[in-house]
Amino acid sequence: MEEKILTIIDTQGNLEEVYLNQYRKDHLLVGRNKQECDIAICDSIISRCHGTIWTDGDEVYYRDEDSSNGTFFGIGEEKRLLSKKDGFVRLYDKTILRIGNLNKTDDMVLILFTSETDKETWKREELDKKDVLIGRSQSCQIFLSNPGVSKIHCQVFYENDRYIFRDCNSKNGSLINGFPVTEDVVLRDKDVIQILGYQLFFSGESIYFKTTASGVSLRVCNVSKTVGAGKKRKKILQNVDCEIKANEFVAIIGGSGAGKTTLMNAISGFEPGFSGKVYCNGADMIKNFQRIKSVIGFVPQQDIIYENLTLERMLEYSSRLRMPKDTDTVERKKRIKEVLKMVDLEGQKNTLIRKLSGGQKKRASIAVELLADPKLFFLDEPTSGLDPGTEKNLMISLKTLARQHGKTIIMVTHTTANLHLCDKILFMGPGGKLCFCGNVKEAKKFYQTEDLVDIYNMVSQNTEFWEKRYSAYAKNSPPVKENKDSYEKDKKLKKESAFSQFFVLIERYAELLLHDKPRLMILFLQPGLIAVLLYIVADDKIFQIYESTKSILFALSCSAI
């Protein structure tokens, strides 16, 4: 069962978790007064009745009750002060609320809202003015077991009566309060440190963390996209607003021209030319794309594999290109074994990829992306060209990845036969309009039909009607002001050595040639065969009569080779 949890860190640095599911009421009062409030936070900066939590089905909302110190919503650029006139504001997965003076952070209470199935308890690392290393190495005081985390990813050290955070030239970077770390940062109380899918909290003389990376949630806020100019200007996405929770399996469906792939490309961060915002675990996707992209896996419609390699060798080369340069051979082999087990291809590891079935090839493409352990997966029509049985097996495999391996999976598809396996479907109408977001049961009830295929016709015939009806039904959050900074990407991180990647590619290409013996023989025989043919057709007189023929024949020979 999915738990809705408030993690509270008070002004003294003490952490407490409150499980909202245990309360048998929709409205919960938060405040200092134990007699009046359901959730009591005994801290002087908290008002007697500070705010109200409202649970409406799967959604959770918060309202500030005109408290003395107010409530700040979000981090980074999204941060804003709430008041009672704002009404109830929806809390998304990993939403952070702060109560108190932002300029005097030791007088602040931090509240983290999460919606999760994993009940790992928070661990606390006491700093005590000592250096603390954070990374994938067992020697680190805070050990984060993830292939995308560098062995020594970052460190916290004490200097001049303050704690300093430093990113140690890690492959995938770090964020503090939603902003990328490019130089040493002085830590302030209640700062949020984000490393891939991990959230760590600095409070007082301690760092709170979990050793398991939390799932990735995605929030799409009024995303629109326009192409062309002048009279040819056309809007292909229109104010798409939805939430995809951590570890959900989501399908984007709709007819041709509905903007399915355009939406997926936009929310994956690979095509940033849109208005609106996309938040990944609360951080701006586009602004922090270089730091976030390692939690993203993208499987295009065409398979991203080489057919003349065995599956294991293909994964070996891919791991050398994709995983951090400090990953040793033992770690790579261990990760390849784990990935093969995830996609149920352990028995095919020594099989040439060209001999795999269509469904196995698609799972092999997924395995390539799994090597770096991304938490957010995008797939463009993965079921295209598969027979019904293979399609169902692939859908079951994707659902297993979401449920058992903590992946958030978003795919574009045209088929409707196995959509009941998805946690959520996004139904797009012509012109890139969102006409529904919810599970299959809710979709059938909303459209009053038992056949999902009927929805295609209903939406295409009256797109605006269903878009407006869904917007009212969804109780969407207030529009996000368009910000042209959305188009700017974060500064690129330091890349892997071009030479090391070049030699890996040469080695892979050589092995591909060795497995393609007919092609290899043709390449070896071709120069000699051309020379022999030229010798047969040419005689001594041709060069005596026409001097220019020499250069012509030489040019033709070079072109042929």
Side-chain angles (χ1 to χ4, degrees):
M1 181 181 174
E2 187 177 72
E3 290 279 3
K4 302 184 190 311
I5 306 169
L6 293 183
T7 301
I8 303 169
I9 304 178
D10 64 18
T11 55
Q12 302 304 311
N14 301 311
L15 184 145
E16 177 189 5
E17 287 189 307
V18 177
Y19 292 83
L20 301 182
N21 301 45
Q22 70 183 356
Y23 295 94
R24 297 179 179 268
K25 51 196 296 190
D26 296 335
H27 287 74
L28 303 172
L29 202 57
V30 181
R32 191 179 70 247
N33 190 295
K34 290 184 177 181
Q35 284 71 39
E36 294 182 41
C37 299
D38 303 285
I39 301 172
I41 305 174
C42 300
D43 214 299
S44 58
I45 68 164
I46 303 293
S47 297
R48 182 172 176 171
C49 296
H50 200 100
T52 301
I53 299 283
W54 170 38
T55 304
D56 182 20
D58 287 336
E59 313 304 340
V60 176
Y61 300 85
Y62 175 84
R63 182 179 68 195
D64 186 273
E65 301 294 345
D66 282 339
S67 59
S68 300
N69 291 305
T71 306
F72 290 89
F73 176 96
I75 58 175
E77 294 182 351
E78 194 188 15
K79 179 180 65 185
R80 66 183 191 270
L81 180 63
L82 301 178
S83 64
K84 193 168 184 177
K85 67 179 181 180
D86 294 319
F88 281 98
V89 176
R90 186 174 172 185
L91 298 184
Y92 297 91
D93 187 33
K94 297 176 181 64
T95 294
I96 289 176
L97 302 175
R98 284 188 171 100
I99 298 170
N101 188 344
L102 295 185
N103 296 318
K104 193 178 180 183
T105 53
D106 52 349
D107 281 342
M108 180 195 294
V109 171
L110 182 145
I111 302 175
L112 167 69
F113 170 74
T114 52
S115 183
E116 58 188 51
T117 53
D118 179 29
K119 292 186 179 180
E120 182 191 359
T121 56
W122 288 92
K123 295 174 176 60
R124 182 172 183 169
E125 177 67 27
E126 296 286 353
L127 298 176
D128 196 25
K129 300 182 181 180
K130 66 178 186 290
D131 289 359
V132 171
L133 298 177
I134 303 171
R136 197 182 74 249
S137 172
Q138 294 279 2
S139 63
C140 293
Q141 288 83 356
I142 297 179
F143 170 65
L144 306 177
S145 178
N146 184 290
V149 175
S150 299
K151 281 191 174 180
I152 307 296
H153 197 97
C154 54
Q155 69 176 129
V156 176
F157 59 93
Y158 191 76
E159 185 178 272
N160 298 328
D161 296 327
R162 55 190 185 172
Y163 287 100
I164 312 293
F165 179 91
R166 175 180 293 167
D167 186 276
C168 301
N169 292 318
S170 62
K171 175 180 173 61
N172 295 310
S174 314
L175 301 174
I176 291 185
N177 298 327
F179 294 105
V181 177
T182 55
E183 55 187 20
D184 289 358
V185 176
V186 177
L187 289 174
R188 302 196 308 164
D189 203 50
K190 310 301 186 302
D191 273 351
V192 182
I193 303 167
Q194 192 168 323
I195 302 171
L196 299 182
Y198 298 91
Q199 271 187 324
L200 303 86
F201 297 94
F202 171 76
S203 185
E205 297 276 327
S206 308
I207 293 179
Y208 289 101
F209 67 99
K210 289 186 177 183
T211 55
T212 304
S214 59
V216 170
S217 59
L218 204 65
R219 184 151 51 95
V220 183
C221 299
N222 298 292
V223 166
S224 299
K225 185 167 184 175
T226 304
V227 294
K231 293 182 179 180
K232 293 184 178 180
R233 189 176 175 85
K234 183 181 179 183
K235 214 167 189 179
I236 56 175
L237 281 180
Q238 300 192 39
N239 301 320
V240 178
D241 192 299
C242 63
E243 180 193 17
I244 296 168
K245 296 179 181 178
N247 307 335
E248 281 191 332
F249 179 24
V250 180
I252 304 174
I253 61 175
S256 298
K260 302 183 298 298
T261 300
T262 304
L263 175 62
M264 187 177 74
N265 290 340
I267 66 178
S268 66
F270 289 98
E271 289 188 12
F274 61 85
S275 61
K277 292 283 187 179
V278 179
Y279 294 100
C280 178
N281 274 2
D284 189 308
M285 169 79 84
I286 303 305
K287 284 186 173 295
N288 300 298
F289 183 73
Q290 296 300 323
R291 267 83 180 167
I292 291 174
K293 68 179 182 180
S294 288
V295 305
I296 301 171
F298 194 102
V299 180
Q301 189 171 351
Q302 300 298 322
D303 292 329
I304 51 174
I305 48 181
Y306 291 90
E307 297 209 335
N308 286 323
L309 292 175
T310 64
L311 178 56
E312 188 174 40
R313 291 297 295 164
M314 175 65 211
L315 293 175
E316 169 65 25
Y317 285 119
S318 297
S319 68
R320 289 165 64 182
L321 291 169
R322 291 167 179 262
M323 297 176 75
K325 62 182 179 181
D326 58 10
T327 307
D328 57 38
T329 304
V330 175
E331 286 180 302
R332 284 201 305 270
K333 288 187 178 297
K334 181 182 177 183
R335 183 60 189 165
I336 290 169
K337 188 175 180 180
E338 290 172 353
V339 164
L340 287 170
K341 187 175 181 180
M342 284 184 195
V343 296
D344 195 24
L345 287 175
E346 292 172 289
Q348 287 75 34
K349 67 178 183 178
N350 295 319
T351 304
L352 287 171
I353 289 173
R354 67 170 179 261
K355 295 182 179 179
L356 298 177
S357 67
Q360 288 173 333
K361 287 181 181 178
K362 188 59 67 177
R363 279 186 279 152
S365 293
I366 293 170
V368 170
E369 289 296 318
L370 282 171
L371 287 168
D373 196 21
K375 294 296 180 181
L376 181 59
F377 242 100
F378 294 91
L379 301 101
D380 190 5
E381 299 196 35
T383 58
S384 177
L386 302 181
D387 63 78
T390 305
E391 178 204 335
K392 184 175 181 179
N393 290 335
L394 179 61
M395 292 285 282
I396 291 171
S397 296
L398 292 174
K399 187 174 181 68
T400 302
L401 281 175
R403 281 284 176 268
Q404 298 181 13
H405 300 285
K407 311 296 180 189
T408 303
I409 297 178
I410 303 167
M411 72 170 189
V412 169
T413 184
H414 282 100
T415 59
T416 59
N418 296 296
L419 288 179
H420 62 280
L421 294 170
C422 297
D423 300 300
K424 190 175 288 180
I425 57 174
L426 272 65
F427 216 111
M428 300 297 294
K433 298 175 181 178
L434 180 63
C435 294
F436 186 78
C437 177
N439 60 44
V440 170
K441 187 178 179 180
E442 292 168 342
K444 290 178 178 179
K445 184 179 179 181
F446 181 77
Y447 286 98
Q448 297 181 345
T449 179
E450 288 299 317
D451 191 350
L452 290 175
V453 177
D454 292 339
I455 300 177
Y456 279 88
N457 295 328
M458 295 166 72
V459 169
S460 61
Q461 290 170 7
N462 202 343
T463 307
E464 289 189 11
F465 169 78
W466 290 110
E467 181 197 23
K468 289 177 181 177
R469 185 175 175 185
Y470 170 69
S471 184
Y473 164 84
K475 295 175 284 192
N476 286 335
S477 58
V480 174
K481 186 178 180 182
E482 182 173 340
N483 186 351
K484 292 187 178 179
D485 290 341
S486 298
Y487 302 105
E488 297 177 8
K489 282 196 173 184
D490 180 24
K491 188 175 77 172
K492 288 191 175 183
L493 295 170
K494 185 179 179 181
K495 290 185 175 181
E496 297 284 346
S497 167
F499 286 106
S500 64
Q501 291 187 351
F502 179 68
F503 287 122
V504 172
L505 292 173
I506 287 178
E507 189 179 341
R508 183 174 71 181
Y509 187 68
E511 188 166 342
L512 283 168
L513 284 176
L514 288 173
H515 284 287
D516 192 355
K517 290 183 174 58
R519 184 182 176 200
L520 188 62
M521 291 299 294
I522 289 172
L523 287 173
F524 275 122
L525 293 173
Q526 184 176 275
L529 185 62
I530 291 172
V532 170
L533 291 173
L534 287 173
Y535 176 78
I536 292 170
V537 300
D539 55 28
D540 296 336
K541 293 181 180 179
I542 192 169
F543 293 112
Q544 294 173 6
I545 300 170
Y546 299 109
E547 186 67 24
S548 61
T549 306
K550 293 180 181 180
S551 59
I552 294 172
L553 285 173
F554 180 75
L556 288 172
S557 300
C558 290
S559 299
I561 292 170

